[in-house]
Every structure is written in structure tokens, then in C-alpha cells.
């Protein structure tokens, strides 16, 4: 574990993971009866959309100010089926943005925040995402879609060297 990640983990403690936005959409022409019989492929994404600091200020006693960091984590999953001319048609789309809020013992550098976002936020949000996908598909009458366990294999910050 590198020093930036280690120092950010020591400073941050998770407080909340909340869903901010979500969309679940089964395309026209598909339903609970034919979803499972259609040949389809899965496409997915995950990334950090935003990192922001939140300071709760006590006007009477600044020594009791509290510092939090908020990470907006975007995830998506879609099932597509091949059509003519090697194009695809979307069958089902599931997307969500979560906000993971961490209390901080101190102010973190941009590099510490990015290292934490690259490797740790997704790990914390992932169980909530898995439950959301399984619950949503079950409520749609589709055989429950099981999202695999979190696997760190790349940065979750877009346009950051891997």
C-alpha cells in the first residue's frame, strides 16, 4: 500500500453511503417473460464523478469544527443484444450515483483524496450497488441479476493515469 493511500485511510472514517440518483429501464419489446431467453451481453462502468470537502463550522468554538469529504461514485450496467450489421440494442439499463461521505481527522491533500478515490471508495460503495441491482431486477420480475464482488483492477477516476 502506498503512503498516500495509507495516510488517507488513517484520516478518514466512513459516515454515510447514500444513493443520489438512479435509473432502471427495461426497453420496449422486452418484459419479465422474454428477458431471460434473449441472447445478450453485459456492459458496465464505474467512476468517481466528484470529490468535495464539507466543513461544519461552529461559530462559537472553532476547535469543534468538523471536516467531511464527499465522493460521488457513478455506476452503470446494461444488457445489450446484437442486431444486424454488428450494432447492439439495449435491453436493460441500470445506473446510479452514490454519495460516500467520510469524516476526516484533518485536511487531506488533492493527491491523498485522489488515491483514496482510486482505490477505496468503490470498495465501500460496491455492496450497496450489488444490492440495488439484485433488488431492482427482482422487483421487475426478471431473474435476479448478480453483480460480482468488487475487484480493483484500475483507477476509478476517469482520465487519470493508471
Amino acid at each position: 500500500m502506498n503512503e498516500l493511500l495509507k495516510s488517507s485511510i488513517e484520516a478518514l472514517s466512513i459516515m454515510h453511503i447514500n444513493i443520489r440518483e438512479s435509473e432502471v429501464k427495461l426497453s420496449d419489446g422486452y418484459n419479465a417473460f422474454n428477458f431471460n431467453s434473449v441472447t445478450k451481453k453485459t456492459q458496465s462502468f464505474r467512476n468517481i464523478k466528484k470529490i468535495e470537502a464539507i466543513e461544519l463550522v461552529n461559530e462559537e468554538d472553532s476547535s469543534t469544527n468538523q471536516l467531511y469529504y464527499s465522493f460521488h461514485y457513478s455506476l452503470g450496467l446494461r444488457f445489450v443484444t446484437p442486431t444486424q450489421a454488428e450494432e447492439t440494442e439495449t435491453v436493460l439499463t441500470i445506473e446510479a450515483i452514490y454519495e460516500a461521505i467520510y469524516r476526516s481527522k484533518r485536511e487531506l491533500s488533492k493527491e491523498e483524496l485522489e488515491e483514496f478515490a482510486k482505490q477505496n471508495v468503490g470498495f465501500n460503495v460496491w455492496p450497496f450497488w450489488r444490492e440495488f441491482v439484485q433488488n431492482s431486477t427482482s422487483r421487475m420480475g426478471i431473474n435476479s441479476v448478480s453483480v460480482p464482488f468488487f475487484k480493483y483492477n484500475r483507477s476509478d477516476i476517469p482520465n487519470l493515469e493508471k
Side-chain angles (χ1 to χ4, degrees), residues 60-99:
E60 296 171 7
D61 182 7
S62 64
S63 67
T64 62
N65 290 356
Q66 297 176 0
L67 178 61
Y68 297 86
Y69 287 99
S70 167
F71 297 81
H72 291 214
Y73 195 73
S74 179
L75 303 111
L77 174 66
R78 73 179 185 166
F79 293 88
V80 296
T81 183
T83 62
Q84 297 175 357
E86 295 187 30
E87 294 177 13
T88 59
E89 178 182 39
T90 301
V91 178
L92 173 65
T93 303
I94 305 173
E95 296 181 353
I97 298 175
Y98 286 87
E99 181 176 23

Side-chain angles (χ1 to χ4, degrees), residues 4 22 26 38 42 55 62 68 78-79 92 103 121 138:
L4 289 173
S22 67
L26 189 60
V38 174
T42 305
E55 186 172 11
S62 64
Y68 297 86
R78 73 179 185 166
F79 293 88
L92 173 65
R103 185 169 185 180
V121 175
S138 176

Side-chain angles (χ1 to χ4, degrees), residues 8-56:
S8 62
I9 288 173
E10 288 172 357
L12 297 172
S13 58
I14 195 159
M15 298 301 293
H16 302 282
I17 295 180
N18 304 316
I19 195 162
R20 291 186 58 90
E21 247 179 74
S22 67
E23 179 182 29
V24 180
K25 183 179 179 185
L26 189 60
S27 298
D28 289 341
Y30 298 97
N31 54 51
F33 296 112
N34 67 6
F35 178 82
N36 294 318
S37 63
V38 174
T39 302
K40 52 198 169 301
K41 294 180 182 179
T42 305
Q43 299 174 335
S44 64
F45 70 87
R46 66 181 204 216
N47 59 57
I48 296 287
K49 299 291 274 185
K50 179 166 115 175
I51 303 169
E52 62 185 347
I54 303 167
E55 186 172 11
L56 300 181

